Amino acid sequence: MDDKEYKKFNAREYLHLHYPQSLFDKPDPNVSTIYKLSCYNKFYQQFHKEWDSSTARMLDLGGGPSVHCLISASPYVAVIDHSDFVQTCRDEVLLWKKNDPNAYDWSPYFRYVVNTLEGLSGPEAVAERMKMTRDKLEDVLLCDVKCANSVLPGNDGKRYDLIFSISCIENVVESVEEYGRILVNVKSLLNPNGFFVTIVNLDCSYYTVDGKNYPCFPISQEDVIKSMEAVGFKIMLVEYSRNSEVTISNNPYHNSAGKGFFVARLVSHAPN
């Protein structure tokens, strides 16, 4: 997709389609977004002792207009940066950070993570997490994962201990080789021993927003693992969920065969 197509991207419609407010009326752990939330929770529960939460920096790379990836992160990091290529997506996140009355309402997502996944009771815990996440969300940045020399233009050489990229890279590449080149760019932003966490729409050729199909590269689980290992990542965790287990019922917004959840670590390698 070229720059002109991205400028037409309807970020609010994307949120309504993929992050509906009704999702938690009868929460189904097999629904795509709820599956993602459980993956984030699992990652932090399993790996949070591997870094210093008082200094750790987390980047949501290509995070779109969504903040759902940040909810589980905020207790375990000191600073969060969000990034996306599309201005309308960054605008949505900025509205939420400012607690603007026109911002998308993420409170059902916070309630599900805090009350259900983490087992913390009461609205006070939810309100505290929302404030914590807003406070720790430091920057909302332009990113271009294809730009080897400047993935985050003007970021002044920031490095991160955690980088999340959720349903992103496969949407902007056209080959396995290009996927690998972007992983090199991602690696350049990580501190030594940093974690890269990604959820990939596997074998997917399109996703739909506002009635328009946007292309994806149909990458396989095997190709993701080989690409990560080829650029110096150690695979720490892999999960695969078939499409029937994670799709949004009756809403064919993509043709993915399933989702891959990958946790990788840049063990004893300094960033390039």
Side-chain angles (χ1 to χ4, degrees):
M1 185 175 9
D2 59 25
D3 290 3
K4 292 181 179 178
E5 290 296 324
Y6 276 120
K7 288 177 180 177
K8 299 176 184 177
F9 188 83
N10 189 329
R12 184 57 64 96
E13 180 64 19
Y14 174 86
L15 291 175
H16 285 307
L17 288 174
H18 293 271
Y19 300 94
Q21 301 297 321
S22 61
L23 190 62
F24 302 101
D25 291 348
K26 294 182 179 180
D28 179 351
N30 295 322
V31 168
S32 176
T33 301
I34 295 180
Y35 171 75
K36 291 178 185 178
L37 293 173
S38 70
C39 289
Y40 309 149
N41 178 260
K42 178 182 295 186
F43 168 74
Y44 288 106
Q45 292 302 313
Q46 185 166 341
F47 294 104
H48 74 273
K49 293 183 180 179
E50 297 295 324
W51 62 83
D52 182 352
S53 62
S54 69
T55 60
R57 303 180 65 91
M58 180 264 198
L59 172 66
D60 188 3
L61 183 65
S66 169
V67 302
H68 79 294
C69 183
L70 314 183
I71 304 170
S72 292
S74 55
Y76 298 107
V77 299
V79 174
I80 297 170
D81 285 344
H82 180 280
S83 66
D84 201 77
F85 183 74
V86 182
Q87 181 66 55
T88 56
C89 291
R90 300 196 302 274
D91 290 343
E92 287 285 351
V93 177
L94 284 168
L95 283 175
W96 182 82
K97 175 177 170 54
K98 296 173 183 176
N99 206 12
D100 190 289
N102 295 315
Y104 196 72
D105 181 12
W106 289 100
S107 56
Y109 291 79
F110 276 83
R111 284 195 295 270
Y112 181 76
V113 171
V114 174
N115 295 152
T116 302
L117 293 182
E118 297 179 4
L120 302 175
S121 61
E124 297 82 6
V126 176
E128 181 180 346
R129 180 65 57 83
M130 293 180 76
K131 183 180 186 304
M132 177 191 295
T133 306
R134 284 192 174 98
D135 289 346
K136 291 187 178 183
L137 179 54
E138 184 173 88
D139 284 321
V140 179
L141 303 166
L142 169 67
C143 76
D144 184 351
V145 295
K146 291 188 173 185
C147 187
N149 298 319
S150 187
V151 176
L152 299 174
N155 81 329
D156 299 323
K158 287 181 182 178
R159 306 289 183 188
Y160 297 91
D161 303 285
L162 311 171
I163 296 179
F164 279 63
S165 185
I166 308 303
S167 303
C168 170
I169 299 175
E170 67 272 22
N171 295 346
V172 299
V173 302
E174 297 180 358
S175 67
V176 174
E177 292 74 21
E178 189 176 13
Y179 189 89
R181 288 194 295 271
I182 288 179
L183 290 181
V184 173
N185 298 343
V186 171
K187 189 176 78 165
S188 73
L189 298 173
L190 270 174
N191 284 323
N193 296 315
F195 283 86
F196 176 55
V197 181
T198 186
I199 296 177
V200 179
N201 290 319
L202 298 171
D203 301 305
C204 180
S205 63
Y206 73 86
Y207 67 98
T208 301
V209 179
D210 202 19
K212 179 177 175 57
N213 287 350
Y214 291 87
C216 304
F217 176 70
I219 196 165
S220 69
Q221 176 175 299
E222 182 180 19
D223 284 334
V224 172
I225 293 172
K226 286 182 177 179
S227 298
M228 286 181 171
E229 292 177 334
V231 302
F233 283 110
K234 179 180 179 180
I235 305 299
M236 309 296 289
L237 177 67
V238 176
E239 265 190 20
Y240 174 72
S241 292
R242 291 175 301 188
N243 187 51
S244 60
E245 298 173 13
V246 299
T247 192
I248 300 175
S249 300
N250 302 317
N251 291 319
Y253 297 141
H254 57 72
N255 66 341
S256 172
K259 290 193 181 298
F261 171 44
F262 304 88
V263 175
R265 194 173 192 184
L266 192 61
V267 178
S268 68
H269 286 266
N272 291 336

